[in-house]
Each structure stands twice: as C-alpha cells, then as structure tokens.
C-alpha cells in the first residue's frame, strides 16, 4: 500500500486522538479518513435509493385526462 506524508496542526491531531480514543496520530488520521469515506458511501446509497424511487414514479403511465 502506498503511503502519503502530510503536515497537520498538532492540536487538531491531538483532539482527534482524544475523541477517537486512539494512541497514535497515524491511527487518529486513519480513523477520520475512514469515517469520511464511510459517510460518503452511506450518502451515495441513500441518494441512489431516492433517485430510483423517483424514476419509478416517473415511469408509471399517467391516467388519461378527459
């Protein structure tokens, strides 16, 4: 797996470490990134279901008006 080195504000990393209950800055940043990705996947799933239900409504034939 490829690795990336970045610089972050130490106070931010320490705050994440405390909130996540992890002991290393590496684990803290990985936890935040994994949570962000999971949230994106959940949002995509909800949006896809909504789009599908809207398409089903649009596909139904309309009753003739008369």
């Amino acid at each position: 797996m490829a690795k990336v080195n970045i610089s972050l504000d130490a106070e931010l990393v320490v705050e994440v470490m405390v909130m996540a209950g992890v002991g290393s800055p590496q684990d803290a940043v990985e936890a935040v990134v994994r949570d962000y990705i999971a949230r994106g996947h959940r949002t995509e799933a909800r949006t896809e279901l909504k789009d599908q239900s809207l398409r089903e409504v649009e596909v139904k034939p309309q009753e003739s008006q008369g």
Side-chain angles (χ1 to χ4, degrees):
M1 178 185 300
K3 300 287 181 178
V4 176
N5 293 317
I6 58 172
S7 297
L8 295 172
D9 183 274
E11 290 181 22
L12 292 175
V13 176
V14 169
E15 189 168 346
V16 171
M17 289 172 62
V18 170
M19 291 176 69
V22 296
S24 77
Q26 177 76 31
D27 291 344
V29 173
E30 285 184 10
V32 170
V33 172
R34 290 181 192 280
D35 181 63
Y36 183 81
I37 291 170
R39 183 176 299 171
H41 287 281
R42 290 190 302 268
T43 300
E44 288 173 359
R46 284 194 307 261
T47 303
E48 183 179 334
L49 290 174
K50 183 177 179 181
D51 288 347
Q52 285 177 351
S53 66
L54 289 174
R55 276 188 234 118
E56 290 172 1
V57 169
E58 293 172 2
V59 171
K60 292 180 183 175
Q62 295 181 351
E63 295 181 21
S64 59
Q65 299 175 356

